[in-house]
Amino acid sequence: MTSPRNWTGQRLRAALPCAKCPVRVRPITAILARAVLLLGLLAAGFSAQPALAFEGAAQSAVSGPGSIAAQDASAPSATKTPPMAAPQHARRASFEQEHASPQARHVANWVVDSRDNRSLPFLIVDKADARVFLFDATGRLRGAAPALLGLAQGDDAVPGIGNRKLSTIRPEERTTPAGRFVASLDKNLHGEEILWVDYDTAIALHRVITSNAKERRAQRLDSSSPSDRRISYGCINVPVKFYENVVSPAFTGTNGIVYVLPETRSARQVFGSYDVEEPAQPQATSQAAPEPTELQAAR
């Protein structure tokens, strides 16, 4: 039978760790691990509710009926592309079936596209082809015809030539100057109707003059060669029917614009013209309609 003293000693030894085990290490580690686990569970328990509450609030802010997302969905998008303006189509002159040089088409299209004619009828004198084209205010061709032009090539007039006698004008001075002119119908000193082009240089467009048989002006108008139609002192001679049926009606009661195309410079240099696909350029200045002189009647 075991005495109480011995029983107590056995119980104490049983409660102590084995002699082979590290003293106190195992029990302390287990206690610490359990403490850490307990503290972690307690922390998770306290933080779970606020986290869930925050997540719910965030979800409400994103998708709730009064949320920012809902407001943005009903508002127009800031990146929406505005509707594009309708493209501006280039305006061009209508030559119908009439043959015309590239330079004549270039200037006519520029006139129509830029509205340089200021809603007036306009006439193009193509010196290289010795032809004229008359358009209404919208750029629709009213008629075309061959023309007699100045004998000499060149785009400038000799200063003061409008006041000189015909007998003093040398062959190399007989030019039809290039440029943009405001033209109007008037009478010459013989009472015949003419279209004044440039008073200062005594240039007009009129019916062909056939008083000098040696010049054969009527026959020259029928020639297919532009060089045959270079004979005048500078004025623009056209067939009688073309003048009476096309020119006179178009300019009756109104002014118009005459564009005499250059032959030694480019149209861009003279008029400030552009291809209709290019930006507009500054335009040449116009000139006022003049009064007739004695020199013009003979040219």
Side-chain angles (χ1 to χ4, degrees):
M1 181 174 175
T2 304
S3 64
R5 183 174 180 177
N6 292 336
W7 180 84
T8 304
Q10 293 175 358
R11 297 283 295 180
L12 290 171
R13 287 193 295 271
L16 291 174
C18 175
K20 296 180 179 180
C21 295
V23 180
R24 301 184 182 277
V25 172
R26 185 174 180 182
I28 293 174
T29 303
I31 293 171
L32 290 176
R34 290 181 179 181
V36 171
L37 178 61
L38 179 60
L39 290 174
L41 291 174
L42 290 174
F46 283 113
S47 61
Q49 292 301 324
L52 291 175
F54 176 78
E55 181 181 358
Q59 181 67 24
S60 175
V62 171
S63 59
S67 64
I68 298 174
Q71 295 172 7
D72 288 345
S74 61
S77 172
T79 60
K80 185 180 294 182
T81 303
M84 295 181 63
Q88 298 296 323
H89 298 288
R91 292 156 42 95
R92 293 178 172 84
S94 172
F95 279 85
E96 303 294 340
Q97 303 301 316
E98 197 69 38
H99 167 76
S101 69
Q103 182 170 231
R105 292 183 180 274
H106 163 83
V107 173
N109 289 335
W110 162 72
V111 170
V112 174
D113 185 66
S114 66
R115 296 175 174 84
D116 186 78
N117 61 316
R118 302 297 187 267
S119 299
L120 295 173
F122 66 95
L123 189 145
I124 289 180
V125 180
D126 187 348
K127 290 198 292 181
D129 276 358
R131 288 179 62 81
V132 296
F133 303 88
L134 195 150
F135 299 86
D136 64 15
T138 66
R140 183 173 60 90
L141 185 69
R142 296 283 297 272
L148 303 182
L149 303 170
L151 174 66
Q153 289 192 343
D155 295 323
D156 300 305
V158 175
I161 196 171
N163 298 320
R164 290 167 54 182
K165 294 181 179 181
L166 291 179
S167 59
T168 67
I169 299 176
R170 298 187 297 272
E172 64 271 18
E173 297 177 328
R174 294 164 60 173
T175 60
T176 300
R180 177 189 187 275
F181 307 95
V182 177
S184 62
L185 296 175
D186 208 332
K187 303 280 186 182
N188 63 17
L189 295 179
H190 302 293
E192 299 170 340
E193 184 186 85
I194 60 173
L195 180 69
W196 269 118
V197 176
D198 184 30
Y199 178 75
D200 291 339
T201 57
I203 300 298
L205 183 148
H206 51 70
R207 303 170 184 86
V208 59
I209 294 176
T210 58
S211 55
N212 188 343
K214 293 181 180 181
E215 292 182 335
R216 303 173 59 251
R217 294 197 177 196
Q219 290 81 0
R220 288 175 180 273
L221 277 176
D222 293 333
S223 173
S224 60
S225 174
S227 61
D228 288 341
R229 299 198 284 271
R230 305 301 293 263
I231 187 63
S232 78
Y233 281 80
C235 277
I236 305 157
N237 290 214
V238 296
V240 174
K241 289 184 177 180
F242 178 76
Y243 182 91
E244 295 177 347
N245 298 335
V246 180
V247 176
S248 182
F251 284 83
T252 296
T254 182
N255 291 337
I257 310 296
V258 173
Y259 300 89
V260 181
L261 305 187
E263 56 188 346
T264 63
R265 298 194 294 270
S266 70
R268 289 176 174 83
Q269 290 174 310
V270 174
F271 305 115
S273 58
Y274 59 86
D275 291 332
V276 293
E277 296 81 7
E278 299 175 356
Q281 302 295 326
Q283 301 161 357
T285 57
S286 62
Q287 301 183 18
E291 297 292 334
T293 64
E294 182 178 0
L295 173 62
Q296 183 279 328
R299 299 180 74 179

